Amino acid sequence: MYCPFCGHTETKVIDSRLAGEGRQIRRRRECLACAERFTTFEAAELLMPTVVKGDRSRERSMRGKLVTGMQKALEKRPVGGQAIEAAVATDLS
C-alpha cells in the first residue's frame, strides 16, 4: 500500500472493520515514514477460472465444455457421470 502523502510503500494497519453492508473492509493505516494516517476501502474481486490455450490466449472457463471434455477423456474408464459432475462442481465453486 502506497502512502498518499509521501509515496512510501510500507504502512501499518491500525484498525479494520467491515463497511458497505459487509462487502468491503475499511482499514485505517499509518505510514511508517511520515506517520500520516489515511483510510482505505478494500473489496474482494471475484474472478472465474480461465483456461490458457496453446497459443497462450485466455478464455473464460465454461462448465459445459469442461464436462464434455472430461466425459470424452474418461469414456473408457470406470468413472460415472456423478463423479464428473462432482468434480466440476468442486472445481468451479
Side-chain angles (χ1 to χ4, degrees):
M1 179 62 57
Y2 289 97
C3 173
F5 302 103
C6 69
H8 191 68
T9 58
E10 294 184 34
T11 60
K12 168 173 77 169
V13 176
I14 298 171
D15 180 43
S16 290
R17 63 181 70 175
L18 292 177
E21 298 177 7
R23 296 184 181 166
Q24 291 180 329
I25 298 175
R26 176 188 180 272
R27 290 206 168 118
R28 192 79 179 130
R29 296 178 178 267
E30 181 179 358
C31 176
L32 297 178
C34 66
E36 289 286 338
R37 292 185 176 188
F38 57 97
T39 302
T40 60
F41 290 90
E42 301 170 19
E45 186 175 345
L46 303 175
L47 299 174
M48 291 301 292
T50 57
V51 176
V52 180
K53 299 287 199 160
D55 62 353
R56 296 190 181 175
S57 64
R58 293 175 184 265
E59 182 179 296
R60 284 188 57 198
S61 178
M62 295 184 192
R63 188 178 188 285
K65 281 186 173 182
L66 186 58
V67 169
T68 303
M70 289 179 74
Q71 285 173 342
K72 191 165 281 202
L74 299 170
E75 67 186 0
K76 294 185 180 180
R77 301 281 181 188
V79 178
Q82 291 177 341
I84 293 173
E85 289 293 329
V88 171
T90 303
D91 187 38
L92 295 178
S93 59

